[in-house]
């Protein structure tokens, strides 16, 4: 036997065939997911499509930043602070 043969003789050639079988039901279009999961999936896919740049939806200021009750509470606190400041000033003048 010569080690430098151009074509080595192989007596038993075996053909190997690879097959991958995936058992998955056919998709009917829209996947069956709850609404909150679908929204999260859509948000993630939009981030992926925009190369990781997150764009937040515009905030609507027509609805108001604070509720009426919060506005009244802030007004009350500012009124109390103003009254305390006026009393301190009046106390110094007397």
């Amino acid at each position: 036997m010569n080690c430098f043969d151009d074509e080595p003789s192989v007596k038993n050639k075996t053909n190997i065939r690879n097959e991958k079988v995936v058992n998955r039901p056919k998709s009917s279009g829209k996947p069956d997911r709850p609404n909150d999961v679908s929204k999260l999936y859509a948000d993630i896919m939009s981030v992926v499509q925009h190369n990781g740049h997150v764009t937040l939806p515009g905030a609507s200021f027509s609805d108001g930043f604070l509720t009426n009750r919060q506005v009244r509470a802030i007004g009350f606190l500012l009124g109390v602070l103003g009254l305390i400041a006026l009393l301190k000033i009046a106390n110094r003048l007397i």
Side-chain angles (χ1 to χ4, degrees), residues 39 42 72:
K39 172 109 175 72
R72 282 188 270 144

Side-chain angles (χ1 to χ4, degrees), residues 13-89:
K13 286 190 176 182
T14 307
N15 289 334
I16 299 174
R17 202 170 60 169
N18 290 332
E19 287 186 27
K20 292 182 182 179
V21 178
V22 177
N23 293 327
R24 181 174 11 172
K26 296 285 183 184
S27 176
S28 63
K30 185 180 177 192
D32 298 328
R33 292 188 200 110
N35 286 337
D36 55 345
V37 174
S38 293
K39 172 109 175 72
L40 179 64
Y41 178 79
D43 290 344
I44 290 172
M45 290 309 294
S46 99
V47 169
V48 169
Q49 288 173 352
H50 297 304
N51 295 326
H53 296 285
V54 179
T55 56
L56 300 175
S60 173
F61 290 107
S62 64
D63 297 336
F65 184 66
L66 301 171
T67 63
N68 287 337
R69 188 171 181 164
Q70 290 171 333
V71 170
R72 282 188 270 144
I74 291 171
F76 175 75
L77 290 175
L78 288 176
V80 168
L81 287 175
L83 182 62
I84 291 172
L86 285 175
L87 288 174
K88 290 221 179 225
I89 292 172

